[in-house]
Structures are given as C-alpha cells and as structure tokens.
Amino acid sequence: RIKAGETFTLCEIKGPGCIHQIWMTPTGNWRHEILCFYWDCETNASVECPVGDFFACGLCKYAQINSLAVCVNPGSAFNCYWPMPFHKRARITLENLDDKDMVLYYQINYTLEPVPKDAGYFQAQFRHEYPLKSKGLYTILDGVEGEGQYVGTYLALEVHDSGWWGEGEIKFYLDGDRDFPTICGTGTEDYFCGSYNFENRDTHKYQPFSTPYSGLVQVLPPDKTYEPGQRFGLYRWHLADPVHFRKNLKVTIQALGWKQGGLYLPMNCEMSSVAFWYQKEPHQKFPPLPSRDELDWH
C-alpha cells in the first residue's frame, strides 16, 4: 500500500546486472502515479513517467496490449520486457501524487551478470502539452545529447476538430540536423504501421489493433468517427528498426488534419507521449514533469 503523497522504493539492486521483466498491478489514477528509474549513481532519473503511459495506457482506462515490449493483461496487469542493463546499481521508485492511497503488487525479474562497458542505458521521457506550444506541431523528445538508439513511441491525444486527424509527419532530427530531418514520415497512421485512417472498411469506424511492434489500442468513445473530443492511444516499438544517433536527437510529430479543398489543417490537439531510447550515460536532465493538475486530461 502506497499512501497518498508517498514515494515507495520498488527495488534497489547492486550490479552489474540486467532487469528483464517487470510485472505490476497498480490501482487508482494511473496518471498520478510516477515511475522513476535510476541507474548506477544517478540523481537525475533516466525514466520519469506516469505508470499508465509507461505501459501504453495513457488514457487511464484498461486496454489489452499484445506487443513484444509491453503486455497489458486482464484485469490491470502491466508487463514490460525492455532489457535494462546497469553496471553498479538499479533503483526504481513509484510516487503516489493522488489524494488516495493505492495498492500495488509487483515483481521485478533480473539477473546479476557482467555487462559490456558500451551497453546503453534505458531511458523513457514523458511529455504532455495542452494547448500545443506550436499549433500543428508536438515535440516528442528534445535535448538528448550523446550516442544511442531510439526504440519506441507511445502517443495519446484528444482531437478538437472534426474530420481525420492523422496526416502529421513524424521527424527524427539526428546529429546536428536543423531545418531538415534525416528521417521524415508520411503520416501519423503510417508511422504507427496502419493505413487509410485506421478505418474498418465495412463498419466505417476506427479499428483498434495490437501487434508485436505497433498498435492503435484505445479509441474513446469507440462508437464515433471523425468527431471532436475523441481520444486515441497508439504505440510503435522500433525493436527491429532502431533509430541510431551519435551526437544528439530530437523527435517531433505534426498535428495535421484536413480543411475543405484538400488543404492541411494545423490542429490544436491535446497530446501526451513517452519516448523510449537507450544511450551512453550521462544523459541530460529531463524537463520538469507537469504538475498533478497538468497531468490530467482537460
């Protein structure tokens, strides 16, 4: 039982070693429960994220997820399989920001073993914007310095315009890119490995799906299509196709729909994300986490 306002240490492991799997069953408001991971002698967390978003359930409602990196099983069983090597120490905490106590069952499975000197450390950074700082543009990750590889994106959003919302291009700015990214996507549903608006051609509704590498796992409410106020949760794991960088990394995605006449509509969605990557330490300090009220969906 983690009391309201309390930070509980889930584990403190002396290395070298590697965490291979985490299972937990948090109750309460998943946006008000903050996971932090610290490697070796860090004072700045390498992972700082609401527990729901970390496990691709950022809309604070259960969704079954069948992927290689994250599985969410009935009734609220969160599992992750990201390998997390460390040399000296691993420490994981969970902070309960809510006004109510929460109950947590959990297990962290790891091995104590030699770790290569050049092994990257696991990182995960949460962001949330409403309104968007730049209309039509959302920053998933910025300020990363060093060498590493980007391995995954979780994105949650609420649309405030009618019509299709997923024409935005994801862009990876690598190793000094400025005006033009090294990698530029063709549309939001394309990046998340779907197509044609995620629409079921028979029902003309959004079609949720969950696969080893990508998914549209939440559409709320599910019985409407192309209407304002709908929320979506998506993931894309770069397990087979990591994005390597040597000096620095920035990742953005556009928030674009359609106007009449085939023109793009820059949108002002409410958007949240978790970026997952590995890098050599030290890492840059993350931006401050939003306050408890700012973490909530508006």
Side-chain angles (χ1 to χ4, degrees), residues 10-53:
L10 302 179
C11 77
E12 192 155 5
I13 307 165
K14 291 183 179 180
C18 183
I19 294 172
H20 297 281
Q21 191 256 354
I22 299 173
W23 163 83
M24 61 174 59
T25 65
T27 65
N29 187 332
W30 296 336
R31 263 288 168 91
H32 292 174
E33 299 161 3
I34 309 300
L35 274 173
C36 287
F37 294 39
Y38 302 86
W39 307 125
D40 296 348
C41 300
E42 286 184 329
T43 56
N44 296 320
S46 285
V47 172
E48 187 177 33
C49 184
V51 68
D53 296 78

Side-chain angles (χ1 to χ4, degrees), residues 6-149:
E6 180 180 283
T7 298
F8 181 78
T9 298
L10 302 179
C11 77
E12 192 155 5
I13 307 165
K14 291 183 179 180
C18 183
I19 294 172
H20 297 281
Q21 191 256 354
I22 299 173
W23 163 83
M24 61 174 59
T25 65
T27 65
N29 187 332
W30 296 336
R31 263 288 168 91
H32 292 174
E33 299 161 3
I34 309 300
L35 274 173
C36 287
F37 294 39
Y38 302 86
W39 307 125
D40 296 348
C41 300
E42 286 184 329
T43 56
N44 296 320
S46 285
V47 172
E48 187 177 33
C49 184
V51 68
D53 296 78
F54 184 83
F55 291 94
C57 286
L59 300 183
C60 297
K61 290 184 180 293
Y62 169 82
Q64 185 170 355
I65 298 172
N66 302 309
S67 81
L68 290 174
V70 171
C71 293
V72 179
N73 304 322
S76 62
F78 289 173
N79 299 267
C80 85
Y81 295 88
W82 296 108
M84 304 178 191
F86 55 95
H87 288 94
K88 298 179 181 178
R89 187 178 68 163
R91 182 166 65 95
I92 302 177
T93 65
L94 184 61
E95 181 181 8
N96 181 10
L97 298 177
D98 208 51
D99 295 327
K100 299 179 180 179
D101 296 353
M102 65 173 289
V103 175
L104 180 72
Y105 295 90
Y106 71 96
Q107 182 166 307
I108 298 168
N109 295 320
Y110 65 93
T111 55
L112 298 178
E113 58 181 312
V115 173
K117 291 183 178 180
D118 60 352
Y121 287 83
F122 180 72
Q123 319 278 320
Q125 184 183 124
F126 170 84
R127 292 189 176 216
H128 183 198
E129 288 187 18
Y130 181 74
L132 295 182
K133 296 176 182 178
S134 298
K135 189 175 182 180
L137 181 66
Y138 176 75
T139 299
I140 295 172
L141 184 63
D142 196 6
V144 173
E145 302 287 342
E147 181 180 359
Q149 53 185 327

Side-chain angles (χ1 to χ4, degrees), residues 218-229:
Q218 288 182 302
V219 178
L220 301 175
D223 57 340
K224 296 181 180 180
T225 307
Y226 306 129
E227 295 188 21

